[in-house]
Amino acid sequence: MINGREYIKRIDALQNEVWIDGGRCSGKLSQLAPFKGILKSKAALYDYQCKPENQELFRYSMPDRKGDYGFSYHQPTSIEDLTNRRLATQEWARLSAGLMGRSPDYMNTLLMTLGFAAPHFAQDQKGFGDNIKRLYEKAREKDLSITHTFINPQVNRSVGQYFDDTNVTAAKVVEEKEEGIVIKGARLLATQGGLTDELLVLPAGGYTLDDAYLFGFMIPSNSKGLKFICRESFCYRDSRFDHPLASQFEEIDSIVVFEDVLVPWECVFLYKDAQVVGEMEEATGLYTFLQFQAVCRQVVKVEYILGLCELMGEAIQIQEYEHIKLKMSEIITTLEIMKALLVASEVNSRLNQYGTLVPESQPLKAAIQYFSGVYPRLMEIIQLLGASGLISIPTEKDFNSEIQEDLAKYLQGANINAKERVQLFRMAWDLGMSAFGSRQTQFERFFFGDPIRLSTIHYNRYFTQPYVDMVQAFLNKREE
Ligand SMILES: Cc1cc2nc3c(=O)[nH]c(=O)nc-3n(C[C@H](O)[C@H](O)[C@H](O)COP(=O)(O)OP(=O)(O)OC[C@H]3O[C@@H](n4cnc5c(N)ncnc54)[C@H](O)[C@@H]3O)c2cc1C
């Protein structure tokens, strides 16, 4: 396990090719305004896992190896392991109010599922099974941080677009060499792209007849020709008072460009094999585990939303109104549904063929689907409770200026002073209204894929026959 200092040192040393707002970043990323908040917050996670009092939950060791490893690399084989994983994931998530979609455990977890299912990738004898096992072990030994890109650029989403990609927009293999494959084109959308040690790529969803798009690999973020093009930062100010959330948890998202990147064979674990891709979830449980991690985080996020709304209600004494109670009850219902689905997935977990205890996928799919729809409503509730309070939010500088007495008098709450009230409402604004907050909403809607297509897949794969039979039997039943 690494600590925060080691993580920052490593990222700064990589000198990844990161572009933002018209220029290529130079020097230490951890000292640049758009990135320093999130790097510091991630470093805090690594520090937290190293604290002696957290060792029991966050660390595991292996009898045949020296060293300790982070919880998310651990292969769960019992319900106790899964419970431990949930508790650790949530404890980390609480440090960021559930706002860090890409805390290191997200991708570590994915790599764990692939690493322990190595034989699945070894089917074609090209050593890909050994490769994924080695990549997993390398990540575990070095406690690497990883980002990923799983989708193609949004150039043309009509059916069959892949077959006319003559200008090479979506990343694909353009050459096969003795040393590896050469990738050209782009992928979306790497959250924290350029801010991690490595980049993991899996085939984009959808159908393609062209196997030049079928690959899975993991390479260092500073690989030659790899470029991360970031969107503008939504952290406009350093001040924790003014931007309580963005100043700490603005993750940045980036477009990933592969300019003839040579991916060495030893970094490739999947290549031109549609069957391996098609059976990957069944063999590894990777998406189920990613959903497990995400739902753990989302539960924490709703806990924070509930606490925040309760404090807002108290600050201006609106809890007595019926419709406010109704809205608070909506938040509580969301929290309880999400918690129940998470625990249901744990209780009904089953061992896969490689000995990994995989949570039951249906409750997690339901949770992810439900949350992508309900999250915008939770943000609406924040807006409805806060009303003008989310707009009358002077800055820290205002509170330190000669108008401070005006602010103290006119912005006080029922049982809270003006500065504390504005700080609280600024947090609500940063979650429900700011550019950072809007991006959070878009994240919860889409990060796991297009909710429309996920619903279609959910329905198509759900086994409805027992319920059809039940109704048929009911209809066929004659009076005795
Ligand atoms: C904030 C944020 C962070 C993200 N971070 C990551 C990340 O770290 N790594 C990563 O790999 N991805 C990431 N994503 C990408 C995410 O996986 C995609 O947004 C998601 O899969 C949807 O794809 P898309 O954005 O290309 O939308 P599109 O597929 O282009 O969809 C646009 C619209 O068209 C409709 N549509 C398109 N095709 C069809 C179809 N075949 N049938 C029906 N309707 C269709 C959709 O319903 C939608 O309304 C992130 C996204 C967001 C918003």
Side-chain angles (χ1 to χ4, degrees), residues 1-4 6-7 10-11 42 45-47 49-50 58 60 68-73 92 104-105 108 111 135-146 196-198:
M1 291 194 306
I2 55 164
N3 62 29
E6 290 166 292
Y7 162 68
R10 228 162 48 188
I11 298 300
K42 259 180 99 177
L45 299 185
Y46 287 113
D47 283 340
Q49 71 172 359
C50 292
F58 279 81
Y60 75 99
D68 299 321
Y69 305 104
F71 75 93
S72 49
Y73 287 113
W92 249 6
D105 46 327
N108 299 355
L111 213 48
L135 289 168
Y136 158 69
E137 285 170 356
K138 179 179 91 167
R140 185 189 63 197
E141 299 298 314
K142 298 187 171 178
D143 207 357
L144 292 179
S145 65
I146 303 153
T196 60
D197 297 293
E198 303 247 339

Side-chain angles (χ1 to χ4, degrees), residues 265-329:
W265 282 118
E266 58 270 24
C267 297
V268 180
F269 56 86
L270 193 166
Y271 188 51
K272 294 192 172 182
D273 193 330
Q275 197 176 341
V276 170
V277 179
E279 293 166 1
M280 196 160 59
E281 168 60 11
E282 180 56 29
T284 66
L286 85 157
Y287 295 115
T288 303
F289 267 102
L290 288 183
Q291 287 173 331
F292 186 76
Q293 192 278 353
V295 177
C296 286
R297 177 187 60 74
Q298 289 170 333
V299 165
V300 170
K301 202 168 187 177
V302 187
E303 288 172 353
Y304 266 89
I305 292 168
L306 182 57
L308 179 66
C309 288
E310 188 73 7
L311 283 172
M312 285 164 68
E314 267 176 35
I316 53 172
Q317 289 295 302
I318 52 172
Q319 307 108 309
E320 68 195 83
Y321 300 115
E322 212 57 41
H323 78 100
I324 301 290
K325 290 184 201 292
L326 215 81
K327 290 177 175 89
M328 293 304 289
S329 154

Side-chain angles (χ1 to χ4, degrees), residues 50 88 223 253 307 355 369 385 419 472:
C50 292
S223 297
D253 307 284
Q369 282 296 98
L385 261 60
K419 195 163 182 192
Q472 281 297 356

Side-chain angles (χ1 to χ4, degrees), residues 102 147-152 154 157 159 188-191 253 439 442-443 446-450 452-453:
R102 300 294 182 249
T147 187
H148 67 288
T149 55
F150 291 176
I151 65 165
N152 289 328
Q154 207 181 32
R157 288 285 189 251
V159 178
L188 307 181
L189 177 72
T191 299
D253 307 284
R439 183 263 174 204
Q442 195 69 341
F443 180 82
F446 283 107
F447 80 95
F448 210 81
D450 170 24
I452 298 292
R453 275 167 283 169

